[in-house]
Amino acid sequence: MTQSWGMTIPFYDRSLSNSQDLIARLPELGYTDAWSAEVNGVDGFVPLAMAAQWAPGLRLGSAIVPVSTRGPGLLAMSAATLADLAPGRFTLGIGASSPAIVERWNAGTFAKPYARTRDTLRFLKRALAGEKVSETYETFEIKGFKLERAPKTPPKIVLAALRPRMLRLAAEEADGAITNWLSPDDVRKVRAEVGPDTELIARLFVCVDEDVERVRETARWMLASYLTVPVYAAFHDWLGRGEVLRPMHEAWAAGDRRAALKAIPDEVVDSLVVHGDAATCRARIKEYVANGLDTPVLAPIPGGDVPIDQAVRDLAPER
C-alpha cells in the first residue's frame, strides 16, 4: 500500500472554527489523511465536512462513529453526504464504542457489540450502494430503507477492532481495521489477525516534549481513562499486559485514582505514547509502519513546550 500519514482533526488545543488554517496546510506539509473522532467533544462528521472544503487533497475518515448512538439509516445518510462532498476521499470508520458513551451519555443500549457492528456494516454496504434494504438482522430490523441520493462512489468502510473476532470481521467483510493504544511491537500481533492485504489504521498519541516526567504524568491520566474501559482492558490482556496492569485496575476499581495512576509502569507509558523531540517521535512512528501499520493517524498531545501547530509541522513526514 502507498504509505499514508494522517492527522487527527480538530486539534486538542483549539475549536473546529479555529482549525481552518492548520487543516488547510496539512497537504502541503505532506499529510495524506485527516481523521475525526467522536467521544464527548466534536461529532465525527462535521469536521470532515469542513475539511473537505478546506483541504481538498486529503483523504477523510471517521475513527470512529459508534454504531449504537445513531440509527442505521442516519449513519447511511451521514456517510452518503460526506461521500458526496469528497468523492472517493471519504472512509467511514464505525465501531461498537463503549457502555459509557452509548448508555450513560447517549441513552442508548450497548448490547451484542460484535453483532451490532457486523449488522451495521452489512446494512451500510447495501444502503450506500443504492439498494433498497428490507432485512431482519440479529440486532435490528430495516423495512424499506433507500437513500434518496446514493453516492456515486460509495465510501470504504473500516471497523474499529481490538481483538481477533472483530479484527477478522474487518478483514473479511470491511475495507480495513482501526485500532488504538498499542505499541510498535503490538502491531505485529494485530497484523497477524487481519492478514497482509487489509488496511490497518491506528491513532498514535504523540507528545513533542523532551521532559519525560511531564509527558508521563499527562499520559498516565489518558491511559487510565482508556485502559480501565472493559474493551481496552480485554485488548491489553490479549496483548499480554494483563498482569502488569492488574495493580492499576485494582486501584481504579477501589476508587483510588491516585494509586491507579502510580501503578502504571513507566515502560507501559513509554510503549504506548510516542514522545521526545520531533526526530525521535518520527522515528518511533516509523517503527509502527515497519511492523505493519499502513496508516498512522497522529494525535498531538498539548502540554509541553512545543505548541500544537509547531508539533504538526515537526511531525510531518519527511519528503
Side-chain angles (χ1 to χ4, degrees):
M1 282 182 189
T2 301
Q3 180 56 52
S4 302
W5 200 267
M7 177 57 63
T8 299
I9 62 168
F11 308 96
Y12 283 109
D13 67 336
R14 68 198 68 189
S15 67
L16 177 61
S17 62
N18 290 323
S19 296
Q20 178 175 355
D21 290 345
L22 192 51
I23 291 174
R25 291 198 60 202
L26 293 177
E28 69 185 66
L29 290 171
Y31 291 95
T32 61
D33 292 39
W35 290 77
S36 64
E38 186 170 277
V39 183
N40 62 344
V42 295
D43 78 307
F45 291 112
V46 173
L48 303 181
M50 301 310 297
Q53 310 305 309
W54 294 342
L58 293 175
R59 178 172 73 152
L60 308 170
S62 58
I64 51 88
V65 292
V67 296
S68 297
T69 55
R70 296 175 177 83
L74 180 56
L75 271 174
M77 287 186 284
S78 298
T81 301
L82 261 297
D84 178 62
L85 289 172
R89 295 192 293 120
F90 171 58
T91 297
L92 174 63
I94 58 172
S97 190
S98 71
I101 292 172
V102 174
E103 296 184 339
R104 288 162 49 190
W105 299 351
N106 287 284
T109 300
F110 188 80
K112 298 184 177 180
Y114 172 84
R116 178 72 185 221
T117 303
R118 179 204 61 209
D119 294 348
T120 303
L121 168 66
R122 290 174 177 175
F123 163 75
L124 288 170
K125 288 171 69 173
R126 294 181 61 190
L128 290 167
E131 293 183 33
K132 184 176 183 178
V133 182
S134 293
E135 186 79 31
T136 299
Y137 298 92
E138 181 181 344
T139 57
F140 56 81
E141 182 178 6
I142 301 295
K143 297 179 179 180
F145 178 85
K146 189 176 190 299
L147 282 168
E148 181 179 285
R149 189 183 300 275
K152 293 181 180 179
T153 304
K156 292 184 177 181
I157 306 175
V158 296
L159 299 186
L162 298 177
R163 286 181 290 161
R165 194 179 184 202
M166 195 74 85
L167 287 165
R168 289 194 290 269
L169 177 66
E172 292 166 4
E173 297 193 32
D175 297 298
I178 304 169
T179 190
N180 197 8
W181 288 115
L182 76 172
S183 73
D185 287 341
D186 296 333
V187 172
R188 293 192 180 96
K189 187 164 187 175
V190 174
R191 172 56 74 187
E193 296 295 332
V194 300
D197 300 322
T198 299
E199 182 178 10
L200 183 59
I201 303 154
R203 177 166 281 111
L204 307 180
F205 294 92
V206 185
C207 190
V208 183
D209 189 347
E210 297 181 64
D211 187 330
V212 175
E213 292 309 314
R214 179 168 60 191
V215 172
R216 287 173 177 165
E217 182 179 1
T218 300
R220 278 188 168 88
W221 279 105
M222 297 178 66
L223 286 167
S225 67
Y226 269 90
L227 302 190
T228 52
V229 174
V231 290
Y232 280 99
F235 180 44
H236 283 272
D237 282 348
W238 176 63
L239 291 173
R241 295 192 182 91
E243 286 304 312
V244 75
L245 291 175
R246 186 180 302 279
M248 178 202 70
H249 288 296
E250 291 174 348
W252 191 270
D256 192 339
R257 300 295 189 253
R258 188 179 299 274
L261 296 176
K262 288 183 178 179
I264 304 173
D266 288 347
E267 57 267 26
V268 171
V269 178
D270 296 342
S271 66
L272 300 180
V273 176
V274 177
H275 62 90
D277 61 25
T280 299
C281 290
R282 280 198 306 271
R284 183 72 166 169
I285 295 162
K286 289 179 181 178
E287 288 182 40
Y288 284 88
V289 174
N291 288 348
L293 182 65
D294 296 304
T295 305
V297 179
L298 313 187
I301 303 170
D305 293 330
V306 178
I308 292 292
D309 54 350
Q310 182 64 48
V312 170
R313 291 194 293 271
D314 291 345
L315 293 170
E318 297 173 344
R319 292 180 292 175

